[in-house]
Amino acid sequence: MAARPTALDLSSGHTFMHPTKRIHDEQDISHFHNSQAYSSIVTFLFQLNVAMFPQHQQPGSRIQAWELDSSQTQFSRPVRKLSALITKLDAIIDEAPPDLVGPRRFGNVSFRKWYTIVEAAMPGLLAEHLPDEILSLDRNNDTGGEKQGDDEAEEADKIVRARDELSAYLLGSFGSAQRLDYGTGHELSFLAFLGGIWRLGGFEKSNASGIEERGVVLGILEPYFQLIRRLIKTYTLEPAGSHGVWGLDDHFFLPYIFGSAQFCPAIHSVGDQLPSDGSLGAAPDPSEITRSESVERLRKNNMYFAAIGFINDVKKGPFWEHSRVLYDISGVPQGWAKINKGMLKMYNGEVLAKFPVIQHFPFGSIFSWDLDPGNNSNNPNPPPPPSVSASVPTTSQPPLAPQPPPRLLSPPATNLHHGEDYTSSLPTVSANIMNPPPTLAQGRFPVSSHSSAAAAGVHPHPHPHPPPLVGIGAGAGTKAPWAKPAGSGTSTATIPPQPSPPPPTPATTTTARKTGMEGMGTTRAPWA
């Protein structure tokens, strides 16, 4: 289990500051991974994750799972106040209706109007909904201002208060009003907003069952996800930094972490060692995400299926076609615990180690850019972050006719929605699935990485697998920029244009699939 995030020492006076950009190039990511901010974010994330695991109420008694509509979840006063803040932000959408009716390729400019209204109302909203402990910090900073001279009072007005620093993270969590998009960097900003409140003592102290952390996830984060989904659908916000078909999700990541935790084997307390595989007895099979009727039934109770349901709301076509990574993950045979740990690892590699995402994260006094004293503080050359894969656009290939690619082939792939050829590498993640250490004092993810082995195969789902591409094999060269010459150790492939195959039928012949990794079963999840 993760150790609790280190609370800020406010006894001797603390100077708040406006968060600023500190990551300007790839080299700065190494510093970030050894900073106090990184340790605080990772520890807070682990703490929320373990609180969502089902729990044994008493030895030998029933197991309590934490569903979205569960009456067993208790919400403290700070959680209820922040949940009411999300409700008010949602209501402001009605004050800024979209300008145009009907579908639109790019974001609707009315989102800027909504954002302007929220920005203007933010000081009052925070004063009304922030926990009392945070507001008391601001009142202490303001004490004595009325008895000072004009110059001193003017200087006091320049003091940065706790709500000022927190508001930067909250305003950064709704998407970009300039680019009209939303992505995992904005999602991270909201996680930092809640983590900042936690570090300032704004939430109640939790217990061995993780009641307060669970309230944060179910009472604040889930309403936030619902708010963002409405913003995306209302203003057609674009994905920010999406990998397309080779990304986990165009907009979100955290629902898959907490949603998979809801289906993991039960633990006795948040201090237990987390199981490395298996699932809750009543949990659905991960492959159920491909069945629309199962998704509609489970999205009301589980965050993972709620995220899948939103994908089905905004995307059309076969699930394996537009969500290849999620489709591969659904075949992990070790259960939801393995998926949960893989998601944590993938979050580090795809969000906290990706320059296009993390470059926008601002650092202040709550999430400090300074090196963490407990993590390589004496090392002038901290270790690099996990390797980052990059998308390689290409226009040199002949177009392929729309057809479902084999599940286990690495790129190239074809954008079947728009008919454009492109390639993108799968997320690069380390070989060993991470188990959160007992104390997590280090606050570190593994940094070793490897590329998943590509192999042809079929999906183990009960429904038919899409038919494989034909005409693919080692042989003549290719114009693809990532290909290597023959004899270099990397096979090349010639992909002649092929006619579209007929839709798969129950009689489709399949062959046993291989992963290239012993013991990982029949899937090619990004971390397998």
Side-chain angles (χ1 to χ4, degrees):
M1 172 213 161
R4 297 179 65 83
T6 304
L8 290 174
D9 183 8
L10 306 174
S11 59
S12 57
H14 180 83
T15 302
F16 293 99
M17 62 181 67
H18 291 290
T20 57
K21 177 182 175 70
R22 302 300 297 269
I23 298 179
H24 301 283
D25 53 44
E26 296 278 357
Q27 300 302 319
D28 291 334
I29 298 180
S30 296
H31 181 103
F32 166 62
H33 280 190
N34 288 284
S35 68
Q36 297 178 24
Y38 178 88
S39 294
S40 298
I41 292 171
V42 167
T43 306
F44 184 58
L45 173 61
F46 283 173
Q47 192 170 337
L48 297 180
N49 178 64
V50 70
M52 293 304 298
F53 272 60
Q55 293 182 13
H56 296 280
Q57 294 301 292
Q58 293 177 356
S61 66
R62 67 183 182 89
I63 293 175
Q64 177 64 58
W66 313 110
E67 299 181 344
L68 296 182
D69 59 351
S70 174
S71 60
Q72 301 297 322
T73 306
Q74 303 178 30
F75 298 130
S76 65
R77 174 176 170 80
V79 170
R80 293 195 301 270
K81 291 183 68 174
L82 290 170
S83 180
L85 169 62
I86 302 299
T87 301
K88 287 196 174 182
L89 293 172
D90 184 270
I92 296 177
I93 297 178
D94 298 329
E95 302 178 24
D99 287 343
L100 299 176
V101 178
R104 182 184 174 98
R105 174 64 180 86
F106 300 105
N108 195 293
V109 294
S110 289
F111 176 69
R112 293 171 180 158
K113 180 180 179 181
W114 179 89
Y115 191 92
T116 301
I117 296 174
V118 171
E119 189 175 23
M122 186 58 64
L125 291 173
L126 291 179
E128 180 181 358
H129 296 286
L130 276 179
D132 296 336
E133 290 77 6
I134 307 298
L135 299 176
S136 66
L137 295 176
D138 291 346
R139 286 193 292 269
N140 292 338
N141 289 338
D142 295 339
T143 300
E146 296 180 354
K147 298 181 180 179
Q148 297 173 341
D150 293 340
D151 293 340
E152 293 177 331
E154 182 179 351
E155 201 63 31
D157 291 337
K158 299 179 181 180
I159 296 176
V160 179
R161 299 167 178 83
R163 75 183 77 174
D164 299 326
E165 187 163 345
L166 290 172
S167 67
Y169 295 107
L170 182 58
L171 282 172
S173 68
F174 306 125
S176 171
Q178 178 183 6
R179 300 184 301 272
L180 302 178
D181 62 13
Y182 176 90
T184 52
H186 305 107
E187 181 188 61
L188 172 63
S189 189
F190 190 76
L191 182 68
F193 169 69
L194 298 179
I197 294 175
W198 193 282
R199 296 201 71 201
L200 294 173
F203 291 110
E204 294 183 1
K205 292 184 179 180
S206 191
N207 54 22
S209 69
I211 184 173
E212 188 71 357
E213 295 93 331
R214 192 159 46 252
V216 170
V217 174
L218 298 177
I220 305 176
L221 275 168
E222 176 57 24
Y224 164 76
F225 295 140
Q226 295 175 8
L227 166 66
I228 297 302
R229 288 166 189 149
R230 187 184 177 197
L231 288 174
I232 292 171
K233 295 174 74 172
T234 301
Y235 302 114
T236 58
L237 299 182
E238 291 287 297
S242 170
H243 289 287
V245 72
W246 293 108
L248 181 73
D249 187 295
D250 283 346
H251 302 98
F252 302 101
F253 206 115
L254 293 179
Y256 299 101
I257 295 178
F258 303 133
S260 59
Q262 289 177 274
F263 288 143
C264 286
I267 58 177
H268 290 89
S269 72
V270 294
D272 290 354
Q273 181 70 25
L274 299 185
S276 59
D277 54 31
S279 300
L280 185 68
D285 188 87
S287 65
E288 290 297 308
I289 67 169
T290 62
R291 300 179 181 275
S292 57
E293 62 275 10
S294 297
V295 173
E296 288 303 309
R297 183 181 77 255
L298 294 168
R299 68 187 298 181
K300 304 178 181 65
N301 303 323
N302 178 264
M303 300 177 75
Y304 197 106
F305 279 84
I308 297 295
F310 181 71
I311 291 178
N312 292 342
D313 291 342
V314 298
K315 292 187 177 183
K316 304 301 180 184
F319 187 82
W320 54 264
E321 181 180 292
H322 56 65
S323 301
R324 292 295 299 274
V325 175
L326 284 167
Y327 179 80
D328 283 343
I329 292 171
S330 70
V332 171
Q334 293 92 340
W336 289 102
K338 179 70 76 174
I339 292 176
N340 179 256
K341 297 189 186 309
M343 287 294 179
L344 287 170
K345 174 191 292 293
M346 196 174 176
Y347 188 80
N348 181 66
E350 294 302 302
V351 178
L352 300 181
K354 281 295 177 76
F355 176 75
V357 177
I358 201 63
Q359 65 170 326
H360 302 293
F361 187 84
F363 298 83
S365 68
I366 301 176
F367 294 100
S368 174
W369 180 248
D370 296 339
L371 290 175
D372 185 357
N375 293 303
N376 298 321
S377 59
N378 297 320
N379 183 1
N381 297 304
S387 59
V388 180
S389 58
S391 299
V392 184
T394 177
T395 57
S396 61
Q397 295 189 104
L400 295 176
Q403 52 187 317
R407 176 180 174 127
L408 295 180
L409 280 177
S410 296
T414 302
N415 186 330
L416 301 180
H417 294 293
H418 304 291
E420 301 173 354
D421 292 339
Y422 72 97
T423 65
S424 173
S425 57
L426 280 173
T428 301
V429 294
S430 56
N432 297 321
I433 298 301
M434 176 202 61
N435 274 315
T439 62
L440 258 187
Q442 300 92 341
R444 282 294 173 274
F445 287 85
V447 296
S448 61
S449 62
H450 81 288
S451 297
S452 301
V458 296
H459 192 271
H461 294 172
H463 53 278
H465 179 267
L469 288 174
V470 295
I472 298 178
T478 176
K479 295 182 180 180
W482 61 85
K484 295 184 179 181
S488 63
T490 302
S491 298
T492 57
T494 301
I495 309 178
Q498 298 292 331
S500 300
T505 63
T508 301
T509 301
T510 61
T511 59
R513 55 200 265 129
K514 299 179 181 179
T515 64
M517 291 186 64
E518 182 179 358
M520 287 305 297
T522 54
T523 182
R524 189 190 176 211
W527 58 81

